[in-house]
């Protein structure tokens, strides 16, 4: 029965009402002839009321339209009459019930409010009636558009209405008025509960409904409506708490209502709604307990309700939607495609009957459509289904959004206003995760986590759906971990999975599956931690799950958990190396296969065979018994032969191929039978080339393929390495922060050197160079791409150029953001299993939601960037846009007096590739007297000696700590964030170690290169020859520029033959050389000439370096005397060297000179930086500056080109960072510099540079001569002063030049 329906008393039959209307019309016509407007308006109002009564019987639109018109005419005469306003509000509400137009109900609400405000205070009865009318009007609006302010008003109004109603108050038909008013109070509270999920509102609603039912006589025709609303409230209580007693009570009540109605009024228009309500209750119970009889009964009752309904029944769309949801549930139980197709048909009918203004109904329909397509995708794996599922669920979410802001951009606080969103958000997350599984698009799993975090955040912890939403969120984190291998994702997955189990009832049907999933997640964590107790915890959890009665009675689930136990035992073996573990794994896995019937063709069978084959392979490796290996091959081949070639089994089929390839490769290595090798290569290649897999998996497989085929298939080997290089770029994509990219590259950068070494060995040095360019210094290359001018594109396609220009700074900003997500102390104070009153989103969850939204935005920006680049590169002449220069351009750009020397250091071989001007391919030199281990030993011993010497900060004195007294490490309690390794007494003497290393570098590397190139010594002057060194691996941390034999009168070294500079990549040099050819002098606006001098001699918490103050003062005087503009921060000036001032002024000057302490942070390289007065000017901040006319940076500090051994191929140091920020050249240091010589070297450098710049015709400093000037300042300056003693090496060797 419609809750808005008001009926006339039994004595007011339709024919009597019609008679009354005819009489009243005559009265109105007669009154029209009178001048008594008061009488006329009264008669018009009465006519309107009679027409409204007849409409309730006739449902004739003309009646309600005439009623509205009569009331409007009455108000024309007396617009402030509260009674007339009240009755017009009633008629408009009735008209809205038919038209469903928001303007009708909005006007009704407005009129009711006005009527209340105009009612005199003494007319309490009239006041209460009008308040009740306002409640009805607000309820009508909330049926199609729920807004929190309307609901709050309805609740407050209903409470006042009930409070002012006496138990014995009666209406004009002598019926008690308190029960319906209590009922509508309950309805308003239910509406508010739907928005806020405050359980107190629901409990108060149930109390109000129970009172209404108790006060209503048995024979009252409104009793069914009141029982119906009580049932709805109890159903919602069940949904919130999972209390089975609630739903049993509802089903019993609804059966009674249906039976009574069928007995008394078999043709009752309310009967379909009662039957549909019974079906909904049965469906609810099925979702809790999973009984097939309940869902079959629900479907039967839904069918019956729809058959009984009138085609014009306004509830019909909702009935179709509920029927579709029940069909979907039965389809999931029985894997019935027919049920899903019927559900989609029902939803099509529901949509056709629903006006666009019915946001709630449309949202429910889109929710059901998204769920139905989600289920059909699980069965058929048609990509169209999952696409439609995602889009429908997005529509459902947006229709419920409380603001105009899209839900994806809404804050958690905004979303809390509408808790209805939790259901579609949760389902949207599931569909996005399913699409990620199929297509591998990272943005899908990022968004899935984001929306599911919102769903969890707005769900009270005592709600029945809270555990399932926790489990779904945990699963999404687990899937993302599979892609990113980020341990924090796995830890989050376990955290949510454990909470889902804690919050679920002990008899929940999903509990075994959740326990199984948790066990597998714990196994994955144990693989990372390599701790046996973690494996034992996973095994114990799975054994607990397998002992559950629900598991024993369910063979597929029993088999699944048994196989999971085999998986954990298999992985435990990898840590314990115990033969018993792998044997137990095989035992579990054989049992898992045996629990499935012979005719079973479910994916589980293929998976269990796959797992069994893998364990048998391991057993062979332990025992050496060939029968185990042959059985493994047979088992895996059997599974691969029977698995369907459908997209549904793509991942499993690829896993089978991988394991089969592993066993075949093992067989090949034993027997040397080529067919095993070729079969293995074929299977690995199929896996490596499939884009649906994680790039981490593909690169691992491609590397195996390359190593295998190097023996018998040169072409396939090189193709595999080429794929590895491509995948490195994918793994370190722009969608990640720079910090995350560096973290990813730390574990895979060596692949580039391996590929290059093999390419050189196979005689394709050009390919080796290409790979080195594509696979090294990726982060700096990406940053350079974001900053490269788009002028060539703008002249062809301005629109695409504008898009790239818009995206570049956004991506750069996103890439530079911090991603620390460890819990805050505030968030840790509220545990996940907190069971008190829910605030829906705690601070930790809200913070994570915001962070996740940033991740989604970042991924979307990166995708758009790639899409635009794809469009650009499809255009004629722009195929290599934003790519490294093609090979044919390399040699033409190198100056006539220069060469580029790339040195490839790998465990298998060491080679030199020389690029000379005018050549067509690199000159190859195999360093036969050099090994990887030698270089690593030199690096380690030099590092150790420098640490022991204390040569790690500017200002060390090179003598230990005063005379010969023993020195111990000193703890500085005021320096919690250690800037450097603290000084200790030297043990072996760094100078002697350094002298040895330099000699080895000369004899084994530099001397063979000098001889091969036939370079001539230039004693007594700066050589014309230039060498740009591009070392790799551990050689990146050694001073090649100083290679030589010292400590004797006939000292010899590379500095006698060439001026040395370093470059991170060939491309970084070629870009500078290219721009150098286009402009003889750097492009500098007058306001951007000169040098910014930054000096900090007394940084808080660090040793004073008085020489820095002297250095800045001397250089300023030197530059000013030559007419060079300068600005000084720190030193002896009033302007302090603070971070913001330094950053903001860098872009105003072409050169910068920093004299201060510096810090190389090996844990977070981008936090390396310069210590100024107010803290550390970090590399991450410097690279954001993007200085367009920057020329030269002189970094008179320690460790500015040290780098990080974990990222040897990424050049993560301050000197490279300054190049990335835009400087064409950088002078830096490999370790500490002595304070007393720093100023002297800098002054000598600038003196020579200013002279060379003037000779070249440059009005100020020209950084293109910086390499020669540093050579002059060192070789013919400080070295001549100090001599070639071993001790002097520590003074000048650290100085290096990078770039042009």
């Amino acid at each position: 029965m419609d809750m808005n329906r008001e009926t006339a008393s039994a004595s007011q039959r339709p024919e009597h009402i019609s008679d009354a209307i005819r009489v009243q019309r005559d009265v109105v016509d007669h009154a029209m002839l009178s001048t008594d407007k008061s009488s006329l308006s009264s008669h018009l109002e009465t006519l309107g009321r009679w027409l409204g009564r007849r409409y309730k019987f006739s449902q004739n639109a003309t009646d309600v339209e005439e009623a509205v018109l009569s009331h409007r005419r009455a108000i024309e005469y007396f617009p402030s009459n509260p009674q007339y306003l009240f009755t017009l509000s009633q008629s408009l509400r009735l008209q809205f019930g038919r038209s469903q137009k928001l303007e009708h109900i909005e006007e009704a609400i407005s009129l009711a409010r006005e009527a209340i405000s105009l009612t005199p205070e003494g007319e309490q009865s009239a006041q209460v009636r009008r308040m009740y009318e306002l409640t009805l009007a607000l309820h009508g609006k909330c049926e199609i558009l729920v807004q929190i302010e309307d609901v709050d008003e309805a609740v407050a109004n209903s409470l006042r209405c009930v409070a002012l109603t006496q138990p014995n108050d009666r209406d004009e038909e002598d019926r008690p008025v308190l029960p319906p008013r209590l009922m509508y109070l309950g309805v308003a509270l239910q509406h508010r509960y739907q928005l806020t999920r405050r359980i107190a509102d629901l409990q108060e609603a149930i109390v109000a409904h129970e009172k209404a039912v108790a006060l209503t006589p048995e024979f009252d025709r409104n009793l069914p409506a009141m029982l119906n609303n009580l049932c709805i409230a109890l159903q919602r209580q069940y949904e919130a708490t999972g209390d089975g007693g609630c739903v049993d009570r509802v089903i019993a009540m609804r059966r009674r209502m249906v039976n009574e109605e069928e007995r008394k009024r078999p043709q009752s228009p309310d009967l379909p709604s009662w039957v549909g309500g019974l079906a909904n209750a049965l469906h609810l119970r099925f979702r809790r307990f999973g009984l097939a009889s309940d869902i079959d009964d629900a479907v039967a009752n839904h069918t019956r309700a729809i058959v009984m309904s009138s085609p014009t029944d306004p509830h019909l769309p909702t009935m179709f939607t509920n029927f579709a949801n029940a069909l979907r549930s039965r389809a999931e139980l029985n894997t019935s495609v027919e049920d899903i197709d019927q559900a989609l048909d029902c939803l099509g009918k529901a949509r056709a009957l629903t006006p666009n203004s019915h946001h709630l109904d449309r949202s429910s329909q889109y929710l059901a459509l998204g769920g139905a397509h989600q289920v059909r995708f699980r069965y058929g794996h048609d990509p169209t289904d999952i696409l439609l599922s995602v889009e429908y669920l997005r529509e459902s979410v947006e229709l419920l959004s409380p603001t105009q802001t899209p839900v994806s951009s809404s804050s958690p606080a905004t979303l809390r206003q509408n808790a209805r969103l939790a259901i579609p958000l949760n389902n949207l997350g599931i569909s996005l995760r399913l699409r990620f599984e199929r297509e591998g698009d990272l943005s899908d799993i990022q968004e899935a986590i984001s929306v599911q975090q919102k769903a969890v955040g707005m769900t009270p912890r005592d709600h029945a759906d809270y555990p399932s939403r926790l489990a779904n969120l945990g699963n999404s984190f687990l899937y993302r971990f599979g892609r990113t291998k980020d341990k924090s994702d796995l830890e989050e997955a376990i955290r949510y999975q454990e909470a889902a189990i804690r919050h679920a009832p002990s008899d929940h049907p999903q509990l075994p599956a959740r326990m199984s999933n948790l066990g597998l997640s714990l196994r994955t964590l144990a693989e990372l931690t390599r701790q046996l107790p973690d494996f034992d915890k996973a095994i114990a959890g799975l054994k607990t799950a397998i002992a559950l009665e629900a598991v024993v009675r369910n063979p597929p689930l029993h088999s699944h958990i048994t196989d999971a136990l085999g998986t954990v035992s298999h992985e435990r073996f990898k840590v314990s190396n115990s033969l018993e573990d792998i044997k137990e794994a095989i035992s579990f896995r054989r049992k898992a296969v045996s629990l499935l019937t012979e005719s079973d063709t479910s994916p589980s069978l293929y998976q269990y065979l796959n797992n069994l084959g893998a364990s048998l392979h391991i057993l062979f490796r332990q025992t050496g018994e060939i029968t185990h290996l042959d059985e493994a091959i047979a088992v895996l081949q059997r599974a691969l032969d029977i698995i369907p070639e459908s997209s549904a089994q793509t991942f499993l089929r690829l896993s089978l191929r991988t394991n089969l390839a592993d066993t075949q490769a093992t067989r090949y290595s034993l027997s040397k039978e080529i067919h095993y090798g070729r079969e293995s290569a074929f299977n690995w290649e199929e896996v490596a080339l499939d884009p649906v897999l994680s790039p981490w998996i593909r690169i691992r497989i491609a590397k195996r393929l390359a190593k295998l085929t190097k023996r018998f298939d040169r072409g396939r080997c090189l193709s595999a390495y080429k794929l590895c290089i491509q995948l490195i770029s994918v793994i370190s994509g722009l969608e990640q922060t720079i910090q995350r990219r560096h973290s990813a590259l730390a574990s895979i950068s060596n692949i580039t050197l391996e590929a290059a070494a093999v390419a050189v060995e196979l005689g394709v040095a050009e390919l080796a160079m290409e790979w080195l360019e594509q696979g090294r210094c990726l982060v700096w290359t990406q940053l350079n791409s974001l900053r490269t001018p788009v002028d060539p594109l703008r002249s062809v396609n301005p629109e695409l150029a504008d898009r790239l220009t818009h995206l570049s700074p956004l991506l750069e900003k996103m890439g530079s953001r911090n991603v620390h997500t460890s819990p805050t102390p505030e968030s840790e104070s509220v545990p996940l299993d907190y069971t008190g009153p829910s605030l829906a989103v705690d601070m930790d969850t809200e913070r994570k939601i915001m962070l996740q939204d940033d991740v989604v935005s970042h991924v979307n920006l990166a995708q758009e960037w790639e899409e635009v680049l794809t469009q650009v590169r499809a255009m004629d002449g722009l195929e290599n846009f934003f790519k490294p220069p093609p090979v044919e351009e390399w040699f033409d750009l190198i100056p006539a007096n220069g060469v580029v020397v790339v040195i490839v250091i790998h465990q298998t071989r060491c080679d030199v590739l020389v690029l000379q001007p005018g050549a067509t391919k690199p000159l190859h030199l195999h360093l036969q007297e050099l090994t990887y281990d030698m270089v690593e030993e030199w690096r380690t011993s030099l590092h150790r000696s420098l640490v022991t010497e204390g040569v790690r900060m500017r200002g060390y004195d090179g003598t230990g700590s005063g005379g010969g007294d023993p020195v111990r490490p000193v703890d500085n309690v005021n320096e919690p964030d250690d800037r450097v390794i603290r000084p200790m007494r030297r043990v072996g003497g760094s100078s002697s170690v350094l002298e040895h290393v330099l000699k080895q570098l000369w004899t084994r590397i530099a001397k063979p290169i000098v001889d091969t190139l036939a370079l001539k010594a230039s004693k007594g002057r700066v050589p014309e020859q230039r060498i740009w060194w591009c070392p790799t691996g551990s050689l990146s941390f050694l001073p090649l520029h100083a290679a030589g034999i010292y400590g004797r009168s006939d000292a010899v070294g590379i500095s006698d033959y060439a001026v040395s500079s370093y470059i991170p990549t060939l491309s970084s040099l070629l870009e500078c050389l290219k721009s150098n050819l286009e402009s003889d002098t750097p492009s500098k606006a007058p306001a951007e000439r000169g040098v910014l001098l930054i000096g900090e001699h007394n940084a808080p918490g660090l040793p004073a370096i008085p020489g820095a103050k002297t250095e800045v003062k001397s250089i300023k005087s030197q530059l000013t005397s030559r007419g060079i503009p300068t600005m000084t921060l720190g030193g002896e000036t009033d302007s302090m060297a603070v971070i913001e001032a330094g950053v903001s002024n860098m872009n105003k000057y072409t050169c910068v000179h920093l004299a201060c302490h510096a810090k190389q942070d090996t844990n977070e390289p981008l936090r390396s930086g310069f210590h100024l007065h107010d803290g550390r000017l970090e590399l991450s901040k410097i690279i954001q500056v993007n200085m367009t006319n920057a020329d030269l940076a002189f970094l008179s500090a320690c460790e500015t080109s040290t780098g990080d051994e974990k990222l040897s191929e990424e050049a993560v140091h301050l000197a490279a960072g300054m190049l990335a920020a835009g400087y064409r050249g950088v002078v830096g240091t490999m370790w500490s510099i002595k304070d007393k010589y720093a100023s002297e070297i800098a002054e000598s450098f600038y003196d020579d540079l200013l002279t060379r710049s003037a000779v070249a015709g440059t009005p100020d400093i020209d950084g293109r001569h910086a390499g020669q000037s540093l050579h002059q300042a060192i070789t013919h300056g400080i070295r001549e002063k100090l001599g070639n003693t071993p001790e002097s090496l520590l003074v000048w060797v650290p100085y290096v030049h990078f770039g042009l």
Side-chain angles (χ1 to χ4, degrees), residues 769 773 776-777 780-781 784 884-885 889-902 913-917 1025-1031 1059-1078 1216 1219-1220 1223-1226 1263-1265 1267-1268 1297-1300:
M769 278 300 308
E773 286 300 291
R776 298 177 67 252
C777 295
W780 297 141
T781 301
N784 183 58
E889 290 186 13
W890 292 353
F891 306 96
D892 296 336
L893 291 171
I894 299 173
N897 65 331
V899 294
V900 175
V901 178
V902 181
L913 300 175
V914 182
L915 279 72
Q916 299 171 286
Q1025 181 67 44
R1026 292 199 65 182
I1027 293 179
W1028 281 278
W1029 299 100
C1030 187
V1059 172
S1060 291
S1061 298
Y1062 290 93
I1063 53 174
T1065 63
L1066 174 62
S1067 298
S1068 65
L1069 175 64
L1070 296 181
E1071 286 297 321
C1072 290
L1073 291 171
K1074 193 173 182 180
S1075 64
N1076 194 38
L1077 291 174
E1078 295 170 353
L1219 290 175
Y1223 290 96
R1224 299 197 304 171
V1226 179
R1264 291 178 294 180
H1265 308 295
Q1268 293 94 326
H1297 175 257
F1298 276 81
L1300 186 61

Side-chain angles (χ1 to χ4, degrees), residues 1091-1105:
V1091 181
L1092 172 65
L1093 297 162
I1094 302 176
E1096 181 52 63
H1097 65 282
N1098 195 22
L1102 296 173
I1105 42 174

Side-chain angles (χ1 to χ4, degrees), residues 427-610:
N427 288 357
L428 174 59
I430 294 171
S431 288
L432 286 165
R433 193 196 75 219
L434 289 170
R435 191 165 73 176
F436 168 74
E437 286 182 59
R438 186 189 184 282
E439 300 179 3
D441 188 337
L442 188 61
S443 65
D444 278 340
I445 198 63
Q446 308 283 35
E447 186 182 358
I449 290 172
S450 178
V451 298
Q452 286 177 326
Q453 282 177 327
K454 292 177 172 71
V456 168
M458 61 178 60
T459 304
R461 288 181 171 84
D462 55 359
H463 194 280
D465 287 337
Y466 188 61
S468 66
R469 289 170 191 166
L470 288 169
N472 289 332
L473 177 55
N475 290 341
S476 291
F477 271 110
L478 191 60
Y479 274 91
R480 189 169 73 175
F481 167 78
R483 172 70 177 268
T484 65
K485 304 303 178 187
D486 186 336
K487 184 184 176 185
S488 64
D489 279 340
L490 179 58
E491 290 171 340
E492 285 291 273
I494 291 171
R495 176 173 176 258
Y496 285 115
Q497 288 173 334
E498 288 178 335
I501 291 170
R502 286 198 305 273
H503 284 272
S506 59
D507 60 344
H508 196 284
Q510 291 298 316
L511 189 61
R514 289 175 189 167
M515 293 175 71
S516 173
N517 290 339
L518 174 61
L520 292 175
S521 296
L522 289 168
R523 179 261 296 177
T524 305
L525 179 63
E527 290 177 45
L528 289 179
T529 64
R530 314 294 291 171
Q531 298 296 313
L532 292 179
D534 287 334
F535 285 105
D536 295 338
K537 183 179 178 182
I539 290 172
L542 289 169
K543 286 185 174 179
T544 300
I546 210 169
L548 295 174
E549 185 179 350
V551 174
V552 176
R553 290 188 284 102
N554 187 336
L557 184 57
H558 191 184
S559 177
H560 172 72
I561 299 179
T562 302
D563 181 73
L565 277 164
T567 299
V568 180
S569 297
H570 180 103
E571 297 301 326
R572 190 182 194 279
F573 159 78
K574 293 179 181 179
V575 177
S576 69
N577 208 34
S578 166
L579 198 61
E580 292 307 311
D581 278 337
I582 195 62
K583 287 182 176 180
E584 187 171 37
I586 291 172
S587 175
F588 280 129
R589 287 175 163 177
R590 288 193 195 280
K591 183 177 180 181
V593 172
S594 69
L595 285 169
L596 297 177
T597 62
E598 285 294 324
S599 60
D600 195 322
T601 58
S602 69
S604 298
L605 176 60
Y606 319 132
Q607 181 65 66
Y608 302 162
L609 289 169
N610 186 29

